[in-house]
Amino acid sequence: MSHPTLTPTSDTARVLGQIERGEIRCGADAAREIAARAQAAYGNAVWGPNPDDVAWADALASLNGDTSA
C-alpha cells in the first residue's frame, strides 16, 4: 500500500492561507476589536498604568527636583 506524499508548507504560507480564508484576522481593526472585548470583560483597570511604574516615575521626578506630581 502506498502512502500519499505530503508537502510541508512554510509557516508563512499557512498563516497567509488562514488570513485569506478568514480563519484568523490581523491588522489594526482586529486589534481594536480585541482590545474593546478585553476592556468590556475586565474593565479599565487592565488599561491603567502599572502602580509600580507610577511610583518609580514619581521617585525619579522627585530626585530631579520635579515637584509637580
Side-chain angles (χ1 to χ4, degrees):
M1 176 162 104
S2 69
H3 296 283
T5 303
L6 298 176
T7 304
T9 59
S10 70
D11 287 340
T12 303
R14 181 180 52 79
V15 171
L16 290 175
Q18 289 175 321
I19 293 168
E20 288 173 2
R21 292 186 300 272
E23 295 172 1
I24 59 174
R25 294 182 55 215
C26 63
D29 290 338
R32 281 190 282 276
E33 289 176 22
I34 292 167
R37 284 196 305 265
Q39 187 174 16
Y42 304 110
N44 288 332
V46 171
W47 305 108
N50 180 334
D52 295 335
D53 292 343
V54 172
W56 182 253
D58 288 346
L60 289 176
S62 69
L63 289 173
N64 291 325
D66 181 0
T67 58
S68 63

